[in-house]
Amino acid sequence: MRDGYRDRQDPRPPVAECPRADVEAAAGAGAWGSFFHQGQICLTTGRHLVHERVAGAYTDALVAHARTLTVGDPSTGDVHLGPIINETQAANVDRILAESVAQGAVVRTGGVRDGLFYQPTVVTGVRPGMPLFDEEIFGPIAAITTVADDAEAVRLANRTSFGLASAVVSADLGRAQRVAGQLRTGVVHINDQTVLHEVYGPIGGIGASGNGFNHSTLTNADQFTEWQWVTSRAEVPAYPFR
Protein backbone atom coordinates (compact mmCIF):
# COMPACT_ATOMS: atom_id res chain seq x y z
CA MET A 1 0.00 0.00 0.00
CA ARG A 2 1.77 3.14 -1.16
CA ASP A 3 -0.54 5.85 0.09
CA GLY A 4 2.00 8.34 1.36
CA TYR A 5 1.95 6.72 4.79
CA ARG A 6 3.34 3.18 4.56
CA ASP A 7 5.08 0.91 2.16
CA ARG A 8 3.14 -2.26 1.25
CA GLN A 9 5.75 -4.40 3.03
CA ASP A 10 5.62 -2.40 6.25
CA PRO A 11 5.23 -4.59 9.36
CA ARG A 12 2.17 -3.65 11.35
CA PRO A 13 2.38 -1.25 14.26
CA PRO A 14 2.58 -2.61 17.79
CA VAL A 15 0.39 -2.40 20.85
CA ALA A 16 2.38 -2.72 24.11
CA GLU A 17 0.38 -3.76 27.17
CA CYS A 18 2.01 -2.82 30.50
CA PRO A 19 1.41 -5.02 33.58
CA ARG A 20 -0.97 -2.62 35.34
CA ALA A 21 -3.23 -2.15 32.33
CA ASP A 22 -6.94 -2.98 32.30
CA VAL A 23 -6.47 -6.24 30.40
CA GLU A 24 -10.09 -6.63 29.31
CA ALA A 25 -10.25 -3.08 27.97
CA ALA A 26 -6.88 -3.50 26.28
CA ALA A 27 -8.08 -6.68 24.57
CA GLY A 28 -11.22 -4.93 23.36
CA ALA A 29 -9.12 -2.18 21.83
CA GLY A 30 -6.69 -4.73 20.42
CA ALA A 31 -9.53 -6.64 18.75
CA TRP A 32 -10.78 -3.48 17.08
CA GLY A 33 -7.28 -2.55 15.97
CA SER A 34 -6.57 -5.97 14.44
CA PHE A 35 -9.91 -7.00 12.95
CA PHE A 36 -11.55 -3.76 11.79
CA HIS A 37 -11.81 -3.81 7.97
CA GLN A 38 -10.36 -7.33 8.09
CA GLY A 39 -7.01 -5.81 9.04
CA GLN A 40 -6.67 -4.28 5.58
CA ILE A 41 -5.80 -0.68 6.45
CA CYS A 42 -2.48 1.05 7.01
CA LEU A 43 -3.12 1.69 10.71
CA THR A 44 -4.07 -1.92 11.56
CA THR A 45 -2.61 -3.43 14.74
CA GLY A 46 -0.69 -6.53 13.70
CA ARG A 47 1.91 -6.93 16.45
CA HIS A 48 0.73 -7.09 20.05
CA LEU A 49 3.69 -6.78 22.44
CA VAL A 50 2.34 -7.94 25.80
CA HIS A 51 4.06 -8.12 29.19
CA GLU A 52 4.57 -11.71 30.27
CA ARG A 53 2.71 -11.13 33.55
CA VAL A 54 -0.56 -10.37 31.75
CA ALA A 55 0.00 -12.24 28.48
CA GLY A 56 -2.19 -15.20 29.44
CA ALA A 57 -5.13 -13.07 30.52
CA TYR A 58 -4.75 -10.75 27.53
CA THR A 59 -4.62 -13.66 25.10
CA ASP A 60 -7.71 -15.29 26.61
CA ALA A 61 -9.65 -12.02 26.43
CA LEU A 62 -8.57 -11.36 22.84
CA VAL A 63 -9.52 -14.92 21.83
CA ALA A 64 -12.94 -14.43 23.43
CA HIS A 65 -13.48 -11.23 21.43
CA ALA A 66 -12.40 -12.90 18.19
CA ARG A 67 -14.80 -15.79 18.69
CA THR A 68 -17.80 -13.47 18.99
CA LEU A 69 -17.22 -11.93 15.57
CA THR A 70 -19.12 -13.13 12.50
CA VAL A 71 -17.58 -13.29 9.03
CA GLY A 72 -19.50 -13.09 5.78
CA ASP A 73 -20.97 -11.01 2.98
CA PRO A 74 -21.98 -7.65 4.52
CA SER A 75 -24.82 -7.30 2.00
CA THR A 76 -26.55 -10.42 3.29
CA GLY A 77 -26.74 -9.73 6.99
CA ASP A 78 -25.22 -8.27 10.13
CA VAL A 79 -21.57 -9.32 9.99
CA HIS A 80 -18.41 -7.91 11.56
CA LEU A 81 -15.79 -8.93 8.97
CA GLY A 82 -16.23 -8.96 5.21
CA PRO A 83 -13.96 -10.51 2.58
CA ILE A 84 -10.26 -10.12 1.94
CA ILE A 85 -9.79 -7.94 -1.14
CA ASN A 86 -8.76 -10.74 -3.55
CA GLU A 87 -7.46 -14.29 -3.78
CA THR A 88 -3.83 -13.20 -4.08
CA GLN A 89 -3.97 -11.37 -0.76
CA ALA A 90 -5.97 -14.12 0.95
CA ALA A 91 -3.34 -16.64 -0.14
CA ASN A 92 -0.58 -14.36 1.15
CA VAL A 93 -2.25 -14.19 4.58
CA ASP A 94 -2.37 -18.01 4.54
CA ARG A 95 1.34 -18.12 3.69
CA ILE A 96 2.34 -15.71 6.44
CA LEU A 97 0.39 -17.72 9.00
CA ALA A 98 1.55 -21.16 7.78
CA GLU A 99 5.23 -20.19 7.70
CA SER A 100 5.01 -18.69 11.19
CA VAL A 101 3.27 -21.78 12.59
CA ALA A 102 5.98 -23.94 11.02
CA GLN A 103 8.50 -21.87 13.01
CA GLY A 104 6.68 -22.39 16.31
CA ALA A 105 3.81 -19.89 16.48
CA VAL A 106 0.54 -21.26 17.90
CA VAL A 107 -2.93 -20.49 16.55
CA ARG A 108 -5.26 -19.91 19.50
CA THR A 109 -8.38 -19.29 17.43
CA GLY A 110 -9.23 -18.79 13.76
CA GLY A 111 -6.66 -19.48 11.07
CA VAL A 112 -9.35 -20.75 8.71
CA ARG A 113 -10.65 -19.20 5.51
CA ASP A 114 -13.47 -19.93 3.11
CA GLY A 115 -12.53 -18.32 -0.17
CA LEU A 116 -12.03 -14.65 0.62
CA PHE A 117 -13.62 -14.90 4.06
CA TYR A 118 -11.00 -15.20 6.80
CA GLN A 119 -11.82 -15.96 10.43
CA PRO A 120 -10.40 -13.47 12.96
CA THR A 121 -7.23 -15.13 14.20
CA VAL A 122 -5.15 -14.87 17.36
CA VAL A 123 -1.62 -16.32 17.37
CA THR A 124 0.81 -16.62 20.27
CA GLY A 125 4.52 -17.45 20.40
CA VAL A 126 5.34 -14.96 17.65
CA ARG A 127 9.01 -13.99 17.50
CA PRO A 128 11.26 -11.80 15.35
CA GLY A 129 12.18 -13.68 12.20
CA MET A 130 8.68 -15.04 11.71
CA PRO A 131 6.60 -13.55 8.88
CA LEU A 132 3.87 -12.62 11.39
CA PHE A 133 6.39 -10.38 13.15
CA ASP A 134 8.42 -9.10 10.22
CA GLU A 135 5.86 -8.66 7.43
CA GLU A 136 2.73 -6.64 6.88
CA ILE A 137 -0.15 -9.09 7.21
CA PHE A 138 -3.06 -7.12 5.73
CA GLY A 139 -5.48 -9.68 7.12
CA PRO A 140 -7.39 -10.26 10.38
CA ILE A 141 -4.56 -11.78 12.42
CA ALA A 142 -3.47 -10.56 15.86
CA ALA A 143 0.11 -11.73 16.48
CA ILE A 144 1.10 -11.78 20.16
CA THR A 145 4.70 -11.49 21.35
CA THR A 146 5.48 -11.54 25.07
CA VAL A 147 8.04 -9.19 26.62
CA ALA A 148 9.73 -9.12 30.01
CA ASP A 149 9.85 -5.35 30.50
CA ASP A 150 9.37 -1.96 28.86
CA ALA A 151 12.89 -1.94 27.43
CA GLU A 152 12.27 -5.17 25.54
CA ALA A 153 8.92 -3.87 24.30
CA VAL A 154 10.55 -0.72 22.95
CA ARG A 155 13.39 -2.67 21.38
CA LEU A 156 11.02 -5.04 19.57
CA ALA A 157 8.63 -2.27 18.57
CA ASN A 158 11.49 -0.38 16.95
CA ARG A 159 12.88 -3.47 15.26
CA THR A 160 11.77 -2.30 11.83
CA SER A 161 12.79 0.32 9.31
CA PHE A 162 9.19 1.56 9.21
CA GLY A 163 7.10 3.50 11.69
CA LEU A 164 3.58 4.82 11.17
CA ALA A 165 1.44 4.24 14.26
CA SER A 166 1.64 2.50 17.63
CA ALA A 167 -0.27 2.34 20.90
CA VAL A 168 0.68 1.89 24.54
CA VAL A 169 -1.78 0.69 27.20
CA SER A 170 -1.03 1.28 30.88
CA ALA A 171 -2.73 2.54 34.04
CA ASP A 172 0.47 4.51 34.73
CA LEU A 173 0.34 7.48 32.34
CA GLY A 174 3.83 8.63 33.21
CA ARG A 175 5.23 5.22 32.40
CA ALA A 176 3.22 5.04 29.17
CA GLN A 177 4.50 8.46 28.12
CA ARG A 178 8.08 7.39 28.74
CA VAL A 179 7.54 4.35 26.53
CA ALA A 180 5.79 6.46 23.87
CA GLY A 181 8.71 8.85 23.75
CA GLN A 182 11.03 6.00 22.77
CA LEU A 183 8.90 4.61 19.95
CA ARG A 184 10.00 5.46 16.42
CA THR A 185 6.52 6.00 15.01
CA GLY A 186 4.82 9.10 13.69
CA VAL A 187 1.74 8.50 15.84
CA VAL A 188 1.42 7.05 19.35
CA HIS A 189 -1.93 6.55 21.08
CA ILE A 190 -1.77 6.09 24.85
CA ASN A 191 -4.60 3.95 26.23
CA ASP A 192 -6.21 3.46 22.85
CA GLN A 193 -5.60 1.45 19.70
CA THR A 194 -3.86 2.23 16.42
CA VAL A 195 -6.84 2.70 14.07
CA LEU A 196 -7.48 6.28 15.10
CA HIS A 197 -7.18 9.25 12.79
CA GLU A 198 -10.05 11.62 13.50
CA VAL A 199 -7.72 14.53 14.29
CA TYR A 200 -5.73 15.87 11.37
CA GLY A 201 -2.64 16.90 13.21
CA PRO A 202 0.89 16.93 11.79
CA ILE A 203 1.01 13.21 10.97
CA GLY A 204 3.42 11.17 8.95
CA GLY A 205 5.57 8.09 9.16
CA ILE A 206 9.13 7.73 10.38
CA GLY A 207 11.84 5.91 8.45
CA ALA A 208 10.51 4.15 5.38
CA SER A 209 6.87 4.88 6.27
CA GLY A 210 5.69 7.76 4.15
CA ASN A 211 7.47 10.68 2.59
CA GLY A 212 7.03 13.55 5.02
CA PHE A 213 4.62 15.18 7.44
CA ASN A 214 2.37 16.87 4.92
CA HIS A 215 -0.95 16.73 6.77
CA SER A 216 -1.80 19.96 8.62
CA THR A 217 1.69 21.38 8.30
CA LEU A 218 1.85 25.17 8.16
CA THR A 219 5.10 25.79 6.33
CA ASN A 220 7.28 24.01 3.82
CA ALA A 221 9.94 23.79 6.51
CA ASP A 222 7.85 21.11 8.18
CA GLN A 223 8.68 18.80 5.29
CA PHE A 224 12.24 18.68 6.64
CA THR A 225 11.33 17.85 10.22
CA GLU A 226 10.07 14.80 12.07
CA TRP A 227 7.01 15.16 14.27
CA GLN A 228 5.36 12.72 16.62
CA TRP A 229 1.65 12.98 17.33
CA VAL A 230 0.78 11.55 20.77
CA THR A 231 -2.73 11.18 22.15
CA SER A 232 -3.42 10.25 25.76
CA ARG A 233 -6.40 8.91 27.71
CA ALA A 234 -6.71 8.10 31.40
CA GLU A 235 -8.67 4.93 30.56
CA VAL A 236 -9.09 2.73 27.51
CA PRO A 237 -12.40 3.45 25.72
CA ALA A 238 -14.90 0.72 24.86
CA TYR A 239 -15.04 -0.48 21.26
CA PRO A 240 -17.76 -2.49 19.46
CA PHE A 241 -15.52 -5.57 19.16
CA ARG A 242 -15.95 -6.42 22.86
Side-chain angles (χ1 to χ4, degrees):
M1 181 173 184
R2 299 181 181 277
D3 60 356
Y5 290 93
R6 303 181 71 79
D7 184 88
R8 189 66 175 80
Q9 296 302 314
D10 187 352
R12 302 299 346 131
V15 175
E17 301 348 305
C18 297
R20 294 177 56 196
D22 180 335
V23 174
E24 177 59 32
W32 181 264
S34 285
F35 305 137
F36 185 54
H37 287 316
Q38 301 77 245
Q40 297 181 109
I41 50 181
C42 62
L43 295 170
T44 293
T45 304
R47 298 186 297 166
H48 297 240
L49 308 180
V50 187
H51 196 284
E52 59 190 10
R53 278 184 271 171
V54 297
Y58 180 82
T59 299
D60 290 345
L62 189 56
V63 166
H65 289 307
R67 289 177 176 170
T68 66
L69 304 179
T70 56
V71 181
D73 184 347
S75 68
T76 63
D78 186 12
V79 302
H80 298 99
L81 279 73
I84 300 294
I85 190 169
N86 55 38
E87 175 60 30
T88 298
Q89 179 56 29
N92 190 53
V93 175
D94 271 344
R95 175 194 63 80
I96 290 173
L97 179 61
E99 290 181 2
S100 298
V101 169
Q103 294 177 44
V106 178
V107 176
R108 293 293 305 273
T109 192
V112 177
R113 77 174 173 110
D114 179 10
L116 299 181
F117 299 105
Y118 212 103
Q119 293 294 322
T121 303
V122 178
V123 184
T124 57
V126 177
R127 305 185 307 275
M130 293 181 179
L132 278 175
F133 189 95
D134 294 338
E135 297 184 32
E136 181 180 50
I137 305 168
F138 247 63
I141 299 180
I144 298 176
T145 301
T146 59
V147 298
D149 52 31
D150 294 352
E152 184 179 14
V154 169
R155 178 176 60 80
L156 292 179
N158 290 337
R159 187 168 171 165
T160 174
S161 59
F162 303 96
L164 178 58
S166 59
V168 181
V169 177
S170 176
D172 185 336
L173 286 180
R175 179 181 183 181
Q177 289 165 351
R178 289 191 295 273
V179 170
Q182 299 174 71
L183 298 178
R184 295 196 68 257
T185 57
V187 179
V188 183
H189 298 300
I190 295 174
N191 286 333
D192 214 316
Q193 44 78 42
T194 57
V195 186
L196 186 65
H197 192 204
E198 284 77 13
V199 179
Y200 282 83
I203 176 176
I206 288 176
S209 286
N211 57 1
F213 292 72
N214 52 2
H215 286 267
S216 295
T217 53
L218 300 178
T219 67
N220 288 337
D222 288 341
Q223 296 295 313
F224 303 93
T225 64
E226 286 190 344
W227 293 65
Q228 185 180 66
W229 171 32
V230 179
T231 69
S232 183
R233 296 179 183 270
E235 297 179 351
V236 182
Y239 281 92
F241 288 0
R242 293 180 62 83

